Structure formats: structure tokens, C-alpha cells
């Protein structure tokens, strides 16, 4: 049905209650509030990071002292992976896609491989942390694996190296000047600042005798008259004859008129001087605000590492950013993807109802003997099942359906195997999104952003992605499985 995934999940939840698979109370109880809280908090933090130009600075890193196409490809992979690990893959793809297109155009390179690198690396990188993508949020809350152990268990599977040949790069000013977030701090534009600075330089070229910026007409009159007396003295030696009182009076009038006009000019200069002070004050406030945003974000990540409650840590960081901004938070809160929160609510109810039918348990009972976590063949079969289900039913429902069963089966072997089972589920369900263009939201975001980009648009087709997605998913999944550590 062409109603979208959010409405689809709500439809499933409604049918579970309508056909009495779940009672209304059971449906409400199946919604996991800690996951929703963690998801909401991290989305708010990402909105404020975007306002603080975090992603603009990451975009600049793509072109800073770049040494050619392979170097650019490596940078895209690394920056996309790291930013997705800490700020979610969807956010990274939204803000980095146009940067990648502009840099490819500047270097006269085809955008296709760089867009594929952006989308696939965003998915791969997001697998490394519990806050990288929605399914990892589910796994982190249900498995209770600490943030640090989750990160160090998968990070070695995420990292990869690229060869970097030295080649020159075109100028980067178009890329550096681009801004994505419509919710920005209110400050002067660079054009206004330049005009104001030029005007002040013009003013400073005049010698104004008053500290306050205002000029006393009497002072200038006296100076001009004194200047006239000097001319009279010089003319007494026969240089020039200007001793006539009428001409001296005319000079005096002209001097007063000139003083009056200069006084008006000085008033403008004083007003502009105040504007200059206000501009500098606004710039300092903006800088301090950005530092505060970054400090709060780092504090949130440190809190995750010391194993504080992840949901309330994320909500606390979000509210700290709202208070730091000290203005109506509605514009920022409106940028939160509430449809994703609603999707999760519907999926919790739908999956809980589906589990109560007994169908998932029957399927797992058949598979369990062949998917033993302590055997290479068992891990391979489990990975294949996760990849197929993630592309057929999406990765979040796959994690909700398989998570507890895979973990319970692994727990009968050892606690370490249980933890490894959760990490395998996180890694494979995330990388499975690279298989096709429809495999993850990050892929669709890159495709849509690239198509809509002005002046440098590009159409990434389903089949063009599939030719890269199938072999890359198989290779990356297999390599990653051998590198996961507990």
C-alpha cells in the first residue's frame, strides 16, 4: 500500500488491537519509552549541532588540502562514517550530499562513486555506536550493552584504509560558503560586515578631532580663521593679496558650513561605530554559543561512555541546549522527525502482536540448530537471514523480531556469546541497508538530495546502486563479522 512506512506501522498496530491479538493496555505497554526518549534526545542534539555549523565544518574537511579523487573518496568514507556514528546516518547524508556534489563538480569528477561512498559509509559507520541508527538504539536498550563496549566491539569492523595519490584540487570557495540549516543564529551577513568595515576605513582616513565622534564647529572655524591669518601673514610678504575683510568673511562662512556637514558625517560615523560594536558583540556571542553546543555534546558522549542512563542523558543534553539557546525552541523542535517516533510506536505494537501469534517462534525453532553463534557456518546462516529480512521487512522490525531470540540462544553458550550475538545483529542489520537503494533511509536521502541539488544535480538509479550494493554488502559484512570483538 502506498501510504508510507509510518502509516503502515500504525495500520499494523491498529489491526493487532482491532482483531484482539493485543488488548489496548497490552499495546500501550509494548511501546518502549527508553528507546523513544533516546531517539528524541539525539535528534534534538543533531538539530542544534547543525545550527552550530558542525556539518559545515565537516564539509570543509572534505576539500581541505585534498590530493585528488582517491584522497577525496577516502575522506568521504571516513568523515561520513565518523559523523554517522555520533550524529546518525540520516543526518549526515542530509547535510553532506550537496557538499560531495559540489566538490566532485569542482574537480571535474563523476559524482556517482562519491555518492555511493557517502551512503554506504554512512550506514557502515552508524553501526559502530548505539546512537548511530534506530535499530542500534533498540539493541542498546534491550541488550544493556554499555556504550563503550558497543563502540569498541564494532569499531574495528568499521575502519578501512584508502590509497591517496597526490593530485591538485580546484578552488573550494563555493563549498565553504554553503549553509544548509534554515534555523541559524541572527547575525549580520558577510556582505553587510564587509560594507560596514569598508565604511569605517573610509571614515578613519579623515582626521576627526573629537573622541566621541562629534566635531565642534567653533574649533574648525578657529582653525580656518587661523589658517586665514597665516595666509594674510604670508601675503604681507607679497605672496598673495587676501587682506580684504569681505573675502575673509566668506572664508569664515564656508568653514562653518563645512564644519556643519562634517558634524553630520561624524554623527553617522558614531552610529556606525555603535553598529560595529554590536556586530562584534554578536559574533562573540555566536562563538561562545557554538562552543557551548559542542561542549554539551561532548559531555553527552562522555556520559554515555561512563554508562549513565542513555535515554535520560540524551534528553538532558537536549534540554541543556534549549536553555543555552535561551529563545523559543519551537523552530528547532519542529525539525525533529516525529514521524520516526510514531513509526517506532507502531512497530513496537505490531511486532509484539506478531510475536504473540507464535509464527516467529516457530520459524526460529526451525532455524536455531543451523544458526549457532559459536560456529562459522552458524554465523554465516544467521547473517544471511538478517540480510534478507532487513531488506524485505526493514532493519528495525528485523531487530525487534530476532533480537531476543538470537540473544537467548547465544546466552545458553556463554554471556560473551550473548553480547557477540547482539553486536552481530547490529552490524549485519545495518550493513544490509547497503544492498539496494531501498535498503535504508540513508540511501534514499542521498538519492533524493542529489536529484534535487541545484546546478549540480545527479540521478542515482536503483540499478546503478544495486550493481555496487550487492558485492559491497557481501564483502563488508563478511570482513566485519571476523573483526567483531567482545
Amino acid at each position: 500500500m502506498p501510504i508510507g512506512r509510518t502509516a503502515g506501522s500504525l495500520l499494523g498496530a491498529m489491526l493487532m488491537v482491532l482483531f484482539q491479538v493485543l488488548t489496548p493496555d497490552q499495546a500501550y505497554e509494548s511501546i518502549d519509552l527508553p528507546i523513544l526518549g533516546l531517539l528524541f534526545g539525539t535528534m534534538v542534539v543533531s538539530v542544534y549541532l547543525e545550527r552550530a555549523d558542525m556539518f559545515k565544518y565537516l564539509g570543509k574537511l572534505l576539500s581541505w588540502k585534498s590530493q585528488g579523487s582517491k584522497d577525496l573518496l577516502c575522506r568521504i568514507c571516513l568523515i561520513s562514517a565518523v559523523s554517522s556514528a555520533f550524529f546518525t546516518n540520516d543526518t549526515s547524508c542530509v547535510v553532506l550530499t550537496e557538499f560531495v556534489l559540489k566538490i566532485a563538480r569542482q574537480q571535474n569528477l563523476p559524482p556517482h562513486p562519491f555518492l555511493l561512498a557517502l551512503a554506504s559509509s554512512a550506514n557502515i559507520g552508524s553501526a559502530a555506536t548505539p546512537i548511530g541508527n534506530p535499530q542500534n538504539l533498540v539493541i542498546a536498550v534491550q541488550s544493556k550493552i554499555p556504550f563503550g563496549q558497543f563502540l569498541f566491539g564494532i569499531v574495528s569492523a568499521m575502519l578501512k584504509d584508502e590509497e591517496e595519490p597526490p593530485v591538485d584540487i580546484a578552488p573550494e570557495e563555493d563549498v565553504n560558503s554553503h549553509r544548509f540549516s534554515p534555523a541559524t543564529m541572527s547575525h549580520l551577513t558577510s556582505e553587510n560586515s564587509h560594507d560596514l568595515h569598508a565604511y569605517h576605513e573610509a571614515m578613519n582616513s579623515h582626521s576627526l578631532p573629537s573622541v566621541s565622534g562629534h566635531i565642534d564647529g567653533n574649533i574648525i572655524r578657529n582653525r580656518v580663521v587661523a589658517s586665514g591669518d597665516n595666509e594674510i601673514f604670508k601675503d604681507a610678504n607679497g605672496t598673495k593679496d587676501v587682506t580684504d575683510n569681505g573675502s575673509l568673511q566668506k572664508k569664515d562662512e564656508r568653514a562653518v558650513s563645512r564644519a556643519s556637514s562634517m558634524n553630520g558625517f561624524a554623527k553617522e560615523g558614531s552610529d556606525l561605530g555603535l553598529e560595529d560594536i554590536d556586530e562584534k558583540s554578536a559574533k562573540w556571542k555566536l562563538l561562545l554559543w557554538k562552543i557551548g553546543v559542542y561542549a554539551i555534546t561532548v559531555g553527552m558522549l562522555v556520559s554515555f561512555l561512563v554508562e549513565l542512563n542513555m535515554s535520560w542523558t540524551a534528553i538532558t543534553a537536549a534540554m541543556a541546549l534549549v536553555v543555552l539557546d535561551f529563545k523559543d525552541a519551537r523552530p528547532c523542535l519542529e525539525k525533529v522527525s516525529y514521524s520516526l517516533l510514531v513509526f517506532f510506536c507502531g512497530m513496537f505494537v505490531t511486532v509484539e502482536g506478531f510475536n504473540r501469534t507464535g509464527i516467529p517462534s516457530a520459524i526460529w525453532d526451525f532455524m536455531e540448530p543451523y544458526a549457532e553463534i559459536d560456529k562459522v557456518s552458524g554465523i554465516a546462516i544467521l547473517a544471511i537471514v538478517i540480510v534478507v529480512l532487513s531488506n524485505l521487512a526493514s532493519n528495525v522490525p528485523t531487530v525487534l523480531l530476532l533480537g531476543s531470540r538470537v540473544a537467548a540462544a547465544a546466552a545458553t553458550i556463554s554471556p560473551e556469546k550473548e553480547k557477540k550475538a547482539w553486536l552481530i545483529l547490529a552490524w549485519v542489520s545495518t550493513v544490509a541497508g547497503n544492498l539496494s537503494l531501498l535498503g535504508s533511509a540513508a540511501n534514499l536521502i542521498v538519492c533524493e538530495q542529489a536529484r534535487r541539488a541545484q546546478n549540480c544535480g545527479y540521478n542515482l538509479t536503483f540499478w546503478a546502486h544495486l550493481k555496487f550494493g550487492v558485492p559491497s554488502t557481501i564483502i563488508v559484512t563478511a570482513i566485519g563479522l571476523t573483526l567483531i570483538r567482545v
Side-chain angles (χ1 to χ4, degrees):
M1 298 178 67
I3 60 175
R5 65 175 186 172
T6 300
S9 70
L10 278 179
L11 177 62
M14 181 271 293
L15 292 173
M16 291 295 177
V17 176
L18 188 65
F19 286 97
Q20 299 182 358
V21 179
L22 294 172
T23 66
D25 289 340
Q26 289 173 335
Y28 287 127
E29 290 171 0
S30 67
I31 297 173
D32 199 324
L33 289 179
I35 293 175
L36 296 181
L38 180 56
L39 189 60
F40 172 79
T42 53
M43 283 193 289
V44 173
V45 171
S46 294
V47 169
Y48 278 96
L49 283 171
E50 186 182 355
R51 277 189 58 195
D53 292 334
M54 167 67 76
F55 298 101
K56 187 180 79 170
Y57 299 142
L58 291 176
K60 287 184 178 181
L61 284 176
L62 291 176
S63 57
W64 182 65
K65 293 185 179 180
S66 179
Q67 298 181 1
S69 57
K70 290 186 179 180
D71 174 55
L72 176 60
L73 195 65
C74 180
R75 287 182 187 222
I76 291 173
C77 290
L78 185 61
I79 292 173
S80 174
V82 173
S83 63
S84 297
F86 295 103
F87 311 119
T88 76
N89 53 353
D90 293 356
T91 301
S92 298
C93 288
V94 166
V95 297
L96 292 178
T97 299
E98 197 161 346
F99 275 121
V100 170
L101 287 170
K102 286 190 174 184
I103 295 171
R105 184 187 62 180
Q106 285 177 352
Q107 299 192 40
N108 198 26
L109 296 169
H112 179 253
F114 302 104
L115 293 175
L116 291 175
L118 174 63
S120 59
S121 296
N123 287 327
I124 293 169
S126 70
T129 65
I131 59 175
N133 56 61
Q135 62 270 19
N136 278 16
L137 294 175
V138 175
I139 291 171
V141 173
Q142 291 187 350
S143 68
K144 295 180 172 59
I145 298 176
F147 187 94
Q149 293 183 21
F150 197 112
L151 173 64
F152 296 119
I154 293 185
V155 71
S156 58
M158 180 195 77
L159 297 176
K160 53 186 177 291
D161 295 324
E162 293 284 348
E163 194 178 354
E164 305 179 11
V167 181
D168 291 335
I169 180 171
E172 57 182 76
E173 60 183 71
D174 285 345
V175 180
N176 292 343
S177 64
H178 191 79
R179 294 181 64 89
F180 289 97
S181 176
T184 53
M185 296 291 288
S186 55
H187 60 282
L188 292 175
T189 63
S190 58
E191 292 83 5
N192 291 341
S193 300
H194 176 75
D195 293 342
L196 192 58
H197 180 68
Y199 198 80
H200 278 289
E201 283 190 342
M203 283 194 57
N204 291 334
S205 66
H206 296 273
S207 178
L208 301 180
S210 175
V211 175
S212 65
H214 296 280
I215 301 174
D216 189 348
N218 291 326
I219 295 175
I220 294 185
R221 177 176 176 178
N222 292 336
R223 287 188 177 180
V224 175
V225 171
S227 175
D229 291 342
N230 289 334
E231 290 184 11
I232 294 169
F233 178 78
K234 286 166 57 180
D235 295 337
N237 294 326
T239 309
K240 194 174 182 182
D241 184 15
V242 287
T243 57
D244 183 67
N245 290 335
S247 63
L248 185 59
Q249 186 176 359
K250 288 180 180 178
K251 278 188 179 181
D252 192 50
E253 290 173 356
R254 286 198 302 269
V256 172
S257 175
R258 191 164 63 218
S260 177
S261 63
M262 289 185 69
N263 194 24
F265 181 73
K267 273 190 175 179
E268 289 185 32
S270 177
D271 294 340
L272 285 173
L274 292 174
E275 288 182 22
D276 194 27
I277 293 172
D278 291 342
E279 180 197 1
K280 289 180 179 178
S281 175
K283 285 183 176 179
W284 274 106
K285 287 180 180 179
L286 178 61
L287 178 61
L288 292 175
W289 178 79
K290 287 184 178 181
I291 293 173
V293 172
Y294 301 150
I296 290 172
T297 304
V298 171
M300 180 187 73
L301 296 176
V302 171
S303 300
F304 287 158
L305 288 172
V306 298
E307 301 181 19
L308 296 181
N309 183 280
M310 292 181 64
S311 297
W312 283 108
T313 296
I315 292 173
T316 301
M319 291 302 100
L321 291 172
V322 169
V323 173
L324 178 68
D325 198 27
F326 210 65
K327 61 177 65 172
D328 188 0
R330 184 174 59 182
C332 288
L333 296 179
E334 285 176 349
K335 297 179 74 176
V336 170
S337 178
Y338 294 101
S339 62
L340 181 61
L341 299 176
V342 174
F343 166 76
F344 264 80
C345 292
M347 284 310 308
F348 287 136
V349 177
T350 303
V351 171
E352 176 65 20
F354 190 45
N355 283 333
R356 286 175 181 264
T357 66
I359 296 174
S361 296
I363 296 174
W364 178 250
D365 290 340
F366 172 77
M367 282 181 48
E368 187 176 2
Y370 307 100
E372 296 176 349
I373 204 73
D374 56 342
K375 296 180 180 178
V376 175
S377 59
I379 293 176
I381 292 174
L382 178 62
I384 292 172
V385 171
I386 295 172
V387 169
V388 173
L389 276 179
S390 294
N391 279 274
L392 290 178
S394 185
N395 37 31
V396 173
T398 298
V399 167
L400 290 172
L401 284 170
L402 292 180
S404 58
R405 293 176 175 82
V406 172
T412 60
I413 303 173
S414 70
E416 289 75 19
K417 294 297 183 183
E418 180 185 6
K419 189 180 297 182
K420 185 175 183 179
W422 282 114
L423 295 179
I424 288 174
L425 183 59
W427 173 253
V428 178
S429 64
T430 303
V431 176
N434 287 336
L435 186 71
S436 74
L437 193 61
L438 304 177
S440 76
N443 297 344
L444 294 173
I445 288 170
V446 169
C447 177
E448 194 64 16
Q449 290 282 107
R451 188 177 63 83
R452 292 181 178 180
Q454 295 181 353
N455 302 323
C456 52
Y458 181 81
N459 186 26
L460 182 63
T461 65
F462 178 87
W463 295 109
H465 185 282
L466 191 68
K467 287 189 291 185
F468 165 81
V470 172
S472 68
T473 300
I474 294 172
I475 294 170
V476 172
T477 301
I479 293 175
L481 287 173
T482 64
L483 297 175
I484 291 175
R485 297 288 180 267
V486 292

